[in-house]
Each structure stands twice: as structure tokens, then as C-alpha cells.
């Protein structure tokens, strides 16, 4: 949303007169505006601080500029009128033609003071232009209803009373057997919208829609754990699956083979990408939807939980002129997010940064991103070889899956490129032996490798219900024996904000192996993983376990979370068998579901 500056006090006064804002909140926004410096408009700040809604600000701005305010609805859209302006122009300037009376065209705009915009529209249409003020959210919603739009709008049809919604769907479509016809019925559309809407609101990373014996179970993955959200009658499975397939442009008649697709949905005025995967099972098709919500992901290294003694050498590695930086860890450990954040840090007009991904999860500015297409033969290794002819400075390969990709990546690093990639290994040192097992010569690895970052994600203790507690003596002794004595232990008691789990959000736990001269010699000599770890430890490498317990000491996460990841690391005491204090069970409701 952007408008030209209005007299701040006047806009503020109108908001106060209408009861949308208090004097104290206005002063808070004006103070924030002063601190932010030039370029920040009062209306934007009020919405940003959640002191007013975008609609309230636009309504009052309309009064400031003496133009009508319009709350837009889909029925106001007339395709013949919309065609008076080019689609690209409508999207770029956030304007929307509403209706025409003789030679006067009425257009909804977000910038009622922009006279140049009015002149442009007049020149494009040859008509007299009359404007109404509307919120950017409403105009975006109208744009996505146009016939050629590939974006679905999730309407604000969701009420807090989720039980009513589910009951309505059960009674409305119970006896419809044709899934294609049923998928177009509004109750099924409302159900699918409901599931997606609440998944995004809850911060879910994945939605699982799976047929059980007597029902269709919907589960959300929040902060890495799956929680049941709701159950739907089993006879709705076909209709729900078909609706999702229609959204993702998949073949609704194909039910015997797996299918993959993408959907863009509009939610609260912003785009959210969904990756859809269907897989036939013994009870019917299971659908998993991965939610890619850029708002819930920080692409800043400092926000990802790095300790200073890991962040500083990592930043030095990603600013190196050449070499390879690997990020390792199991699926869902945040490897891609870390790589995106690293690329974001070094992105500039002076660098040609190219990525080869499968799939592209987040679109980044100043970075050229390319999608692997296995079906037409564009594999990681082939795309990487071709990319080297595109004059890159920095290359990111989504994953090293085979020896050919590994060799090409190492050759790229040795010929003056900086290469980022991921591997699936349990810790940093194991990445070196994994590359050797792929058939890459140790002397090439020793020459090309700069650093290996191993990472996991642990759940963060909820800040609202965090409390100190006294753990069992056996647990305290086991942790002290490992060299991590602690004065205080923390856990989440469970509250409404964290769905009674005691956790809200996740934080990274890291282990960074910097390849120095001694390690290079050890790699070339073919030393074992244990020997490589010993050398790294002599140079004070922070291990996953050490970084994890450091975060426990800081009250960021719990002992149980670190024990889960520490039990996977090789070497040292294994403490996964230590008796743990029980945590609160998640309170699952139809609207509280899960994923993260």
C-alpha cells in the first residue's frame, strides 16, 4: 500500500473522530515515523504497527482527499470494463476499473493523490476518469478474480466457530458421489479454503490430508511436529482431493499414479505458495501440501539462531572468492533457509548469483534461479554444467545427489567460483566421507572445501509461558557428567498461544567445521571421520550438542529437544535413554492444528 503523504495530523484526527484510533496510539505512530526517517507514511506505519486496519486508513484517506471510499466485491468486476486497461498496468499500479457511464470511467486506486496516475489512465482509455479510494488488499483480490488469473483467493469466510463450518460441509455434500461435480460445490471449496487458511494462520509448514478407516484426517505440521486438526467424513475424500487437484492444475481423472503441482493462493492480501503432492494408498489418495509462506521465514542469517562464534567464521566463508560451502542435516532441518539467507547476504548488482533447485521454494531478488526438470533430462549435474557457461560468480546447487554433481561442483570451486550446496549427513565431518564414498578423490575435496555447516531445528520454548523447573536428578547428573552444568532449567507450561505444547517457533542448532591446513592434509591422507572430528575439536569446533546445551542454558529450548538431536550425533556419551520429564500434550481442536 502506498499513498502520497497527507497532512499527518489531519489523517490522525479523522481516524480519532471515527473511533478507529486513540490519541496515545496516534502519538506512538508519529514517534515511530520520526524515528524511521523519510519515506515512511503515517498510514503505512499505522497498519504496520496493527493500530488500524488498511481499510480504516483508506477510508479516512479518502476523506482527506475528498474522494469516495469503496469496499470492493467480486460482483463489481465487469470483464469488458476491466479490458479498458492493460492487465500489466492494473497489476503494476494497483488500480481497478469498476464501471463506465457514457464517457466517464470510475477506477479504484490506492493513491487518491496521484494526479500523474489519473493522467496516464486518461491517456490509455481516452475517457474522463473518476476515482474512488480502495485498499491494496481489496484491489489485489479483485485482480486475482480476473479470468486468466492462476492465483486463488482464499476469502475471509472462516469463522472462529470451526465446528459449524465442518457440520455445514457434512450435511451439504453427504450424498454427492461424483467427485468432479462435488469438487465445484461451494461447501467443498469452503472446506479446502478453511484447511489452508487455518494452516497458514497457525504457522504450519505442511498439511496432511489422509484417508483413515472411518474418516479423512487432516493434520498440520507445526514446529516440526504433526498435530490433528480435524476429521472429515470419508465420503468427501474424492471431492476434497479433486478440488485440490483443480487448484494445482493436476489431472483429476488420474488416481493410480502420484502427482505433483503448485498453487498460489491469496490470503489477507499477500501471496502464499503451496506445493501439492498426491499419492495413492490402500484407502484412497493421500495429499500433502507444503506451505511456503515467506512471511514466516526470515532470510537473514542473524535471525536464524547462530551464535557469534559460529556466525562470524560462517560469514567469512560465504564471502570467500571461491571454494565450496556445504550445509548438512536431515530433511526438514532448515538447510535451504540457511542457504537462501547466505545468498541474500552476498547478493548485489556486482555479483552474478545463480541457483539450480528442485523445487524453487522462495524467489529472491538479484538472484537467477533455475528449476531442475528431470522429465526433460535437465538434472542437477546437467543444469550445473550449463550454468558454468552463464558466467556465474556464485552458484547454489540445491542438493549433491550423485557423483557427477559432486565432481562438477568441485571443479567449479577449483576454477574460481564460490559454490553452495546441501548434503544429507548427521554431522559436519561425515560430509567429507560422504563425498569420498560418492567417488570424489580426497585431494579434490581437500583443495575445494571451505566449510561444512551441520544443523538441526529444535522447538523454541514459548516466551509467554516459559518457567523454571527442577528436573529429575538423573537428568541433571547426566548433563553435568557431559560437561554442561546448569543452574536453571526451563520449560513451557503450556498456554493458548502455543496450543498448550510449551513451544512456539523453532531455532537452529549448528556445528561449523572450517577446513584449515591440518584438516586438508588429513582429508588428502584419507583419515577416518573420528580423526577428522578430533582435529576439528582441537581447533575448538562447536558441536551440535555443545550449541544445543548452550541454547538450553540461555532458556531458548528445552533439554528434551537437544537430547533428541544429540542422540543422533556420533561419538561421546549417548544420552537419548535418559529419563525425561513429561511435557504438556498438545490441545488439538478443529481450529488449532499444526505444522511449521
Amino acid at each position: 500500500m502506498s499513498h502520497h503523504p497527507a497532512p499527518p495530523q489531519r489523517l490522525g484526527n479523522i481516524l480519532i473522530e471515527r473511533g478507529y484510533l486513540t490519541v496515545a496510539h496516534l502519538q506512538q505512530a508519529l514517534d515511530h515515523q520520526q524515528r524511521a526517517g523519510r519515506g515512511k507514511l503515517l498510514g503505512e506505519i499505522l497498519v504496520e504497527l496493527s493500530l488500524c486496519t488498511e481499510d480504516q486508513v483508506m477510508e479516512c484517506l479518502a476523506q482527506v482527499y475528498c474522494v469516495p471510499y469503496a469496499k470492493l466485491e467480486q460482483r463489481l468486476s465487469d470483464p469488458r470494463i476491466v479490458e479498458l486497461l492493460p492487465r500489466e498496468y492494473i497489476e503494476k499500479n494497483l488500480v481497478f476499473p469498476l464501471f463506465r457511464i457514457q464517457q466517464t470511467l470510475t477506477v479504484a486506486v490506492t493513491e487518491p493523490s496521484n494526479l500523474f496516475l489519473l493522467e496516464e489512465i486518461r491517456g490509455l482509455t481516452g475517457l474522463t476518469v473518476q476515482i474512488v479510494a480502495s485498499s491494496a488488499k481489496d484491489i489485489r483480490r479483485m485482480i486475482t478474480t480476473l479470468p486468466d488469473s492462476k492465483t486463488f483467493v482464499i476469502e475471509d469466510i472462516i469463522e472462529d466457530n470451526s465446528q459449524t463450518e465442518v457440520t455445514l460441509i457434512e450435511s451439504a455434500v453427504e450424498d454427492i458421489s461424483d467427485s468432479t461435480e462435488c469438487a465445484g460445490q461451494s461447501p467443498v471449496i469452503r472446506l479446502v479454503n478453511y484447511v489452508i487458511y487455518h494452516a497458514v494462520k497457525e504457522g504450519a509448514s505442511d498439511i496432511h490430508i489422509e484417508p483413515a478407516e472411518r474418516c479423512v484426517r487432516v493434520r498440520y505440521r507445526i514446529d516440526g511436529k504433526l498435530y490433528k486438526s480435524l476429521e472429515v467424513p470419508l465420503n468427501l475424500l474424492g471431492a476434497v482431493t479433486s478440488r485440490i487437484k483443480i487448484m494445482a492444475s493436476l489431472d483429476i481423472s488420474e488416481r493410480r499414479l502420484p502427482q505433483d503441482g503448485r498453487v498460489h493462493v491469496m490470503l489477507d492480501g499477500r501471496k502464499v505458495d503451496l506445493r501439492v503432492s498426491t499419492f495413492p494408498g490402500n484407502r484412497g489418495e493421500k495429499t500433502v501440501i507444503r506451505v511456503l509462506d515467506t512471511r514466516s521465514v526470515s532470510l537473514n542469517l542473524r535471525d536464524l539462531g547462530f551464535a557469534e562464534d559460529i556466525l562470524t567464521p560462517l560469514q567469512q566463508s560465504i564471502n570467500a572468492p571461491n571454494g565450496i560451502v556445504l550445509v548438512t542435516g536431515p530433511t526438514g532441518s532448515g538447510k535451504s533457509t540457511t542457504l537462501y539467507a547466505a545468498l541474500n547476504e552476498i547478493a548485489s548488482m556486482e555479483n552474478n548469483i545463480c541457483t539450480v533447485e528442485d523445487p524453487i521454494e522462495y524467489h529472491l531478488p538479484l538472484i537467477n534461479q533455475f528449476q531442475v526438470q528431470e522429465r526433460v533430462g535437465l538434472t542437477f549435474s546437467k543444469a550445473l554444467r550449463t550454468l558454468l557457461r552463464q558466467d556465474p560468480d556464485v552458484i547454489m546447487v540445491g542438493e549433491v545427489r550423485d557423483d557427477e554433481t559432486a565432481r562438477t561442483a568441485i571443479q567449479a570451486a577449483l576454477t574460481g567460483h564460490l559454490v553452495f550446496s546441501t548434503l544429507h549427513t548427521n554431522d559436519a565431518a561425515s560430509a567429507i566421507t560422504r563425498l569420498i564414498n560418492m567417488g570424489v578423490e580426497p585431494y579434490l575435496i581437500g583443495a575445494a572445501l571451505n566449510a561444512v555447516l551441520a544443523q538441526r531445528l529444535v522447538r523454541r520454548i514459548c516466551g509467554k509461558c516459559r518457567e523454571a523447573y527442577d528436573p529429575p536428578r538423573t537428568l541433571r547428573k547426566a548433563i553435568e557428567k557431559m560437561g554442561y552444568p546448569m543452574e536453571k532449567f526451563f520449560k513451557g507450561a503450556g498456554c493458548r498461544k502455543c496450543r498448550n505444547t510449551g513451544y512456539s517457533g523453532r531455532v537452529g542448532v549448528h556445528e561449523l567445521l572450517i577446513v584449515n591446513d591440518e584438516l586438508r592434509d588429513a582429508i588428502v591422507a584419507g583419515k577416518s571421520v573420528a580423526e577428522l572430528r578430533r582435529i576439528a575439536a582441537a581447533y575448538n569446533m562447536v558441536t551440535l550438542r555443545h550449541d544445543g546445551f548452550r541454547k538450553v542454558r540461555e532458556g531458548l529450548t528445552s533439554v528434551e529437544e537437544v537430547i533428541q538431536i544429540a542422540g543422533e550425533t556420533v561419538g561421546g556419551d549417548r544420552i537419548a535413554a535418559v529419563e525425561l520429564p513429561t511435557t504438556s500434550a498438545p490441545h488439538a481442536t478443529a481450529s488449532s492444528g499444526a505444522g511449521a
Side-chain angles (χ1 to χ4, degrees):
M1 177 182 75
S2 63
H3 357 271
H4 284 219
Q9 202 57 45
R10 190 174 172 198
L11 172 62
N13 287 342
I14 295 170
L15 285 161
I16 290 167
E17 283 168 18
R18 297 197 177 200
Y20 296 152
L21 190 66
T22 64
V23 176
H25 283 156
L26 174 60
Q27 193 55 52
Q28 180 187 342
L30 290 171
D31 292 345
H32 189 282
Q33 185 182 36
Q34 198 170 4
R35 287 196 301 273
R38 298 183 62 186
K40 276 281 186 180
L41 304 176
L42 179 62
E44 292 175 321
I45 289 168
L46 289 168
V47 174
E48 191 180 297
L49 298 178
S50 301
L51 299 176
C52 290
T53 66
E54 193 178 338
D55 289 328
Q56 289 168 344
V57 170
M58 284 307 302
E59 185 184 333
C60 296
L61 268 176
Q63 185 176 329
V64 168
Y65 292 111
C66 303
V67 298
Y69 165 71
K71 182 78 181 147
L72 303 184
E73 297 175 18
Q74 189 172 345
R75 60 185 177 80
L76 295 173
S77 178
D78 182 339
R80 291 168 301 174
I81 301 301
V82 175
E83 284 171 7
L84 291 171
L85 284 175
R87 173 69 180 269
E88 296 77 17
Y89 185 84
I90 290 173
E91 290 180 347
K92 182 183 174 185
N93 295 284
L94 281 184
V95 299
F96 200 87
L98 296 175
F99 50 85
R100 172 183 173 179
I101 299 174
Q102 294 179 343
Q103 293 303 303
T104 302
L105 177 67
T106 299
V107 182
V109 300
T110 58
E111 301 182 19
S113 64
N114 191 341
L115 299 177
F116 299 109
L117 196 63
L118 301 189
E119 284 301 321
E120 279 184 351
I121 297 172
R122 200 172 285 132
L124 286 167
T125 61
L127 300 171
T128 304
V129 178
Q130 180 177 297
I131 63 165
V132 296
S134 296
S135 68
K137 180 178 71 175
D138 276 3
I139 292 179
R140 284 194 192 99
R141 183 182 287 124
M142 295 294 283
I143 290 169
T144 57
T145 63
L146 299 180
D148 62 336
S149 175
K150 297 295 181 190
T151 302
F152 290 84
V153 181
I154 296 187
E155 311 261 352
D156 296 337
I157 57 168
I158 309 303
E159 300 293 333
D160 285 336
N161 188 352
S162 54
Q163 199 54 48
T164 308
E165 185 69 34
V166 178
T167 310
L168 165 70
I169 288 158
E170 287 181 24
S171 59
V173 246
E174 197 158 344
D175 51 359
I176 295 179
S177 53
D178 180 43
S179 62
T180 311
E181 182 188 335
C182 190
Q185 300 295 317
S186 62
V188 174
I189 293 173
R190 286 164 69 91
L191 172 60
V192 173
N193 286 359
Y194 168 88
V195 168
I196 296 171
Y197 179 90
H198 275 279
V200 176
K201 286 292 181 190
E202 292 283 338
S205 63
D206 300 88
I207 306 166
H208 290 242
I209 301 168
E210 48 202 10
E213 255 186 76
R214 294 185 177 84
C215 65
V216 177
R217 188 169 49 235
V218 179
R219 294 191 291 171
Y220 295 158
R221 188 177 293 280
I222 296 180
D223 297 338
K225 304 286 182 183
L226 276 171
Y227 300 114
K228 189 175 85 172
S229 173
L230 61 108
E231 291 179 350
V232 177
L234 190 57
N235 60 336
L236 282 183
L237 175 66
V240 169
T241 307
S242 292
R243 170 60 187 164
I244 295 168
K245 284 181 178 179
I246 289 167
M247 293 173 74
S249 303
L250 302 179
D251 182 358
I252 60 172
S253 64
E254 180 55 78
R255 299 174 190 173
R256 296 166 301 172
L257 294 173
Q259 295 188 69
D260 295 293
R262 291 192 83 132
V263 190
H264 306 290
V265 298
M266 211 63 187
L267 199 153
D268 288 344
R270 76 180 196 279
K271 267 189 182 179
V272 176
D273 284 353
L274 307 174
R275 284 210 327 256
V276 176
S277 170
T278 66
F279 203 104
N282 60 336
R283 294 195 183 102
E285 286 180 282
K286 172 174 177 172
T287 302
V288 176
I289 301 173
R290 165 65 56 90
V291 180
L292 301 172
D293 184 5
T294 49
R295 197 178 69 169
S296 66
V297 175
S298 171
L299 296 181
N300 185 326
L301 280 176
R302 291 199 168 272
D303 296 336
L304 299 181
F306 285 98
E308 202 59 47
D309 56 355
I310 292 178
L311 180 62
T312 303
L314 177 63
Q315 285 175 322
Q316 290 168 355
S317 298
I318 66 175
N319 281 287
N322 52 53
I324 289 188
V325 177
L326 291 175
V327 182
T328 79
T331 302
S333 59
K335 300 186 297 294
S336 297
T337 303
T338 299
L339 282 181
Y340 279 133
L343 293 178
N344 223 22
E345 180 137 323
I346 59 174
S348 72
M349 290 300 290
E350 289 76 40
N351 273 343
N352 176 19
I353 301 178
C354 300
T355 74
V356 183
E357 303 172 60
D358 184 23
I360 296 170
E361 294 198 7
Y362 299 107
H363 296 275
L364 303 175
L366 293 177
I367 291 173
N368 304 293
Q369 295 172 271
F370 303 97
Q371 168 80 49
V372 168
Q373 302 282 355
E374 298 273 0
R375 275 179 287 184
V376 294
L378 186 62
T379 59
F380 271 117
S381 55
K382 188 171 182 182
L384 183 53
R385 285 198 307 273
T386 308
L387 208 57
L388 290 171
R389 296 194 285 273
Q390 290 275 317
D391 185 32
D393 298 299
V394 180
I395 300 169
M396 192 266 270
V397 187
E399 187 185 338
V400 175
R401 293 181 180 173
D402 51 58
D403 62 328
E404 196 178 350
T405 309
R407 286 171 186 278
T408 312
I410 283 177
Q411 290 296 342
L414 292 172
T415 52
H417 303 89
L418 181 61
V419 181
F420 295 95
S421 193
T422 67
L423 265 181
H424 290 276
T425 62
N426 281 339
D427 64 353
S430 301
I432 295 164
T433 54
R434 176 76 197 280
L435 289 172
I436 293 171
N437 291 339
M438 279 183 174
V440 182
E441 289 79 2
Y443 73 90
L444 290 176
I445 299 169
L449 195 61
N450 288 357
V452 184
L453 175 74
Q455 71 174 58
R456 300 287 188 281
L457 291 177
V458 292
R459 290 185 292 171
R460 192 189 286 267
I461 294 174
C462 174
K464 203 167 185 180
C465 61
R466 189 182 77 160
E467 61 180 25
Y469 78 104
D470 196 24
R473 284 183 59 197
T474 51
L475 179 63
R476 190 185 283 273
K477 281 189 173 180
I479 293 170
E480 284 176 2
K481 184 183 172 187
M482 289 163 45
Y484 304 108
M486 296 190 199
E487 292 179 18
K488 283 187 176 181
F489 287 77
F490 295 94
K491 68 174 183 179
C495 64
R496 189 173 176 182
K497 183 195 170 194
C498 62
R499 304 168 308 283
N500 289 323
T501 61
Y503 298 99
S504 180
R506 288 191 288 179
V507 65
V509 174
H510 306 97
E511 169 179 297
L512 181 64
L513 184 148
I514 298 292
V515 182
N516 57 22
D517 290 341
E518 192 176 341
L519 267 169
R520 289 186 203 283
D521 293 342
I523 293 168
V524 174
K527 299 289 185 184
S528 66
V529 178
E531 183 65 16
L532 295 175
R533 280 197 204 100
R534 189 196 62 74
I535 295 169
Y539 286 93
N540 299 319
M541 178 182 79
V542 177
T543 63
L544 282 168
R545 181 176 295 168
H546 179 81
D547 193 41
F549 281 113
R550 183 161 60 182
K551 287 179 167 69
V552 171
R553 192 178 287 127
E554 292 166 5
L556 290 174
T557 190
S558 65
V559 174
E560 303 96 297
E561 287 291 301
V562 174
I563 284 177
Q564 282 187 10
I565 64 157
E568 294 173 15
T569 56
V570 186
D573 300 314
R574 291 178 68 87
I575 54 170
V578 172
E579 184 186 344
L580 300 178
T582 55
T583 54
S584 311
H587 175 61
T589 66
S591 64
S592 74

